[in-house]
Amino acid sequence: QVQVAESGGDLVQPGESLRLSCTASRNILDTYPMAWFRQAPGQEREAVACIRRSGVTVRYADGSVHGRFSISRDNAKNTIYLQINSLKPEDTATYYCAPVVVCNDYSSDWKNANGYWGQGTQVTVSS
């Protein structure tokens, strides 16, 4: 049974925007905070943003994502979004969403709550 499914990735030019979507089961969304992660070729997976169940509290990882990434959720559609603006070549990665044990001020704490990873969605930024 698919628990999360990511979509929306594309090949875009620097400076453009994308909105990624993550559809998750109602049970997961009602139980856990959710987070977006990304993994670039040859690099470890890193957390970029998280959102609590209420949808009011969000947190972003330090670094270049600040101010360009925006996470949100639509509970009626069982969907988590990641809006990425002003895309840069270094944003090229496979993006994943997952339930996490906590959404707090420390992105290193945002651990996958059930160990399941979807297939991700590929974002490529290139001119």
Side-chain angles (χ1 to χ4, degrees):
Q1 182 179 1
V2 175
Q3 299 185 25
V4 296
E6 303 92 345
S7 63
D10 204 350
L11 169 62
V12 297
Q13 295 190 346
E16 294 186 339
S17 298
L18 276 177
R19 188 176 78 161
L20 308 183
S21 299
C22 166
T23 302
S25 70
R26 184 77 258 162
N27 180 56
I28 284 178
L29 293 177
D30 286 345
T31 304
Y32 301 103
M34 297 292 292
W36 280 96
F37 298 78
R38 66 182 180 183
Q39 187 169 22
Q43 297 187 21
E44 292 187 357
R45 187 154 26 207
E46 63 173 353
V48 295
C50 68
I51 186 167
R52 294 183 183 170
R53 288 178 294 164
S54 66
V56 175
T57 301
V58 299
R59 293 290 186 267
Y60 299 94
D62 293 334
S64 66
V65 306
H66 242 290
R68 299 190 300 117
F69 286 40
S70 178
I71 188 171
S72 61
R73 64 191 296 159
D74 185 336
N75 289 333
K77 296 182 178 180
N78 289 358
T79 301
I80 306 294
Y81 300 102
L82 185 68
Q83 177 73 35
I84 312 174
N85 298 324
S86 303
L87 277 154
K88 304 177 180 181
E90 51 264 42
D91 294 321
T92 295
T94 302
Y95 285 71
Y96 304 86
C97 71
V100 290
V101 295
V102 67
C103 175
N104 61 10
D105 292 339
Y106 307 99
S107 61
S108 57
D109 290 345
W110 309 346
K111 304 297 185 185
N112 189 320
N114 63 10
Y116 174 84
W117 294 100
Q119 293 194 343
T121 187
Q122 178 66 38
V123 173
T124 303
V125 186
S126 176
S127 55

